[in-house]
Amino acid sequence: MKLLGIETSCDETAAAVVQDGREILSNIVASQVDIHARYGGIVPEVASRQHLLTVIPIIQQAMAHTRWNDLDAIAVTIGPGLAGSLLVGVNIAKAIALAHRLPLLGINHLEGHIYANWLEGREPDLPSLCLIVSGGHTELLLMRGHRDYLPLGRTRDDAAGEAFDKVARILGLGYPGGPAIEQAALGGNSTLLRLPRAWIRGSDDFSFSGLKTAVLRLVEERKGLSPNDVAASFQEAVVDVLVTKTVEAALKLNARQIILSGGVAANRLLRQALSQRSPLPVLFPSPFLCTDNAAMIACCGYFRLKQGKADPWHLDIAPNLRLV
Ligand code: KG4
Ligand code: ZN
């Protein structure tokens, strides 16, 4: 089965064709990073206008080697995300599905991130402990089966990626902050500065705003600090909390594996530390499948379609959609 996936929830316009939920036939991502960089973050109105300009050429590129008649369904992100951005993807998906009489599948963006782990020929063993770390979310859950999730914890304030972006801004490292912090940390010493970790004992929740504020105070109070050392210490603190709490939860719930996903899952220190400190096997997608893309949406749509679940024409966006 071949599915066309469409993703426009934030600042990436993406389309992909995936066969049988595993084989990526095309995967096109147009990033708006350069456009938003001068504002230090995403401007929603600018994002939706840009999606409008790029969505058709991106879908055409993704479909360059696939005939419309060979498609079995269209999968599109309905949320969570920016309303104006989601609307662009959902409306074009409806138009294509109607014109070609194809089933339409509305996909949760966070569930899409998890399914990036099914691409590249892997078949995760369930139940698996899932850690989703992106720019808008930090979620810990147990995946017991397809569409069967047990929520465990989430961030009480900033998402992990949001903390990377904000600290990068404080350090003047640019946007997006994750890759910039990772790069700066390579030239820094993570043991020179001791930054706080919010353990929230007895809960699987996370909190990163205290850490961000601690970095801000440190930078204001101690002039002449090396941004590389601050970046390295900050990255170490985030990774320490994410890894410790994820491994604890996985062992407590007898998970078979740990599945990492979302943009922050591209972070090398997080990937290494989780693999080293977990007694269970750890899966993570290639970095280009951790950040927003449409292959993960098509993959998730495939498993939904196999369960016989297509959506009706009045399918709508859900900017605040939750996974469970
Ligand atoms: O999943 P994603 O592409 O978009 C959302 O759904 O939010 O995640 C984007 C987030 C941004 O906050 C970005 O700074 C972060 O992922 N990110 C990283 C890295 N690459 C992207 N954070 C840490 N290290 C990275 N290498
Ligand atoms: Zn995302």
Side-chain angles (χ1 to χ4, degrees):
M1 271 198 263
K2 284 184 190 163
L3 271 83
L4 169 66
I6 300 173
E7 155 64 44
T8 63
S9 66
C10 196
D11 62 340
E12 258 97 28
T13 318
V17 178
V18 172
Q19 180 152 4
D20 297 333
R22 281 179 182 81
E23 201 187 333
I24 302 174
L25 301 183
S26 65
N27 186 25
I28 313 293
V29 181
S31 172
Q32 303 177 5
V33 157
D34 295 342
I35 298 168
H36 298 284
R38 78 184 86 143
Y39 306 107
I42 297 158
V43 183
E45 183 61 27
V46 174
S48 37
R49 278 192 218 176
Q50 197 58 32
H51 284 307
L52 275 174
L53 291 174
T54 43
V55 73
I56 290 176
I58 291 302
I59 291 173
Q60 282 171 333
Q61 271 189 61
M63 286 295 295
H65 302 291
T66 305
R67 286 179 308 198
W68 290 103
N69 282 345
D70 289 341
L71 285 182
D72 293 281
I74 311 281
V76 63
T77 304
I78 55 165
L82 302 169
S85 294
L86 290 164
L87 273 171
V88 177
V90 169
N91 281 314
I92 191 110
K94 280 188 186 181
I96 295 173
L98 189 64
H100 295 282
R101 298 177 192 282
L102 289 165
L104 179 66
L105 301 143
I107 303 297
N108 183 313
H109 179 80
L110 298 174
E111 199 173 9
H113 271 304
I114 296 175
Y115 275 88
N117 282 286
W118 265 258
L119 295 163
E120 306 180 290
R122 276 188 299 254
E123 176 77 54
D125 236 349
L126 302 178
S128 271
L129 205 287
C130 301
L131 173 67
I132 311 171
V133 269
S134 69
H137 295 83
T138 303
E139 308 256 343
L140 202 56
L141 40 103
L142 185 71
M143 183 175 184
R144 295 177 287 209
H146 293 290
R147 301 213 86 188
D148 180 7
Y149 302 101
L150 175 71
L152 302 171
R154 53 162 46 102
T155 183
R156 294 187 179 179
D157 39 58
D158 292 348
E162 190 181 355
F164 269 95
D165 294 335
K166 288 178 175 170
V167 166
R169 204 167 167 173
I170 293 169
L171 297 176
L173 296 175
Y175 173 85
I181 297 259
E182 180 168 13
Q183 189 58 33
L186 290 176
N189 184 338
S190 64
T191 59
L192 284 182
L193 308 161
R194 182 77 193 157
L195 291 169
R197 283 124 168 97
W199 294 111
I200 323 185
R201 299 280 177 210
S203 161
D204 291 319
D205 281 350
F206 298 94
S207 164
F208 296 106
S209 73
L211 172 60
K212 171 197 65 191
T213 310
V215 170
L216 181 62
R217 283 221 194 91
L218 196 68
V219 170
E220 281 172 357
E221 284 165 13
R222 288 177 52 184
K223 301 286 173 218
L225 270 180
S226 147
N228 300 74
D229 292 342
V230 181
S233 307
F234 163 79
Q235 182 178 244
E236 184 75 35
V238 174
V239 167
D240 191 13
V241 173
L242 289 175
V243 169
T244 306
K245 298 196 74 147
T246 302
V247 172
E248 270 175 20
L251 295 177
K252 186 175 68 187
L253 290 157
N254 292 320
R256 297 216 174 121
Q257 294 183 330
I258 293 176
I259 297 181
L260 186 62
S261 60
V264 182
N267 185 275
R268 272 165 289 179
L269 184 69
L270 176 59
R271 294 157 83 96
Q272 272 167 18
L274 194 54
S275 303
Q276 280 166 7
R277 286 171 51 189
S278 165
L280 306 171
V282 177
L283 300 187
F284 35 74
S286 293
F288 77 101
L289 293 171
C290 289
T291 45
D292 287 352
N293 66 86
M296 66 187 199
I297 303 301
C299 175
C300 184
Y302 167 78
F303 287 96
R304 179 81 53 80
L305 195 63
K306 272 213 326 189
Q307 292 181 323
K309 303 235 169 59
D311 284 302
W313 293 116
H314 60 260
L315 174 71
D316 202 358
I317 59 160
N320 299 316
L321 188 63
R322 290 172 76 140
L323 193 49
V324 266

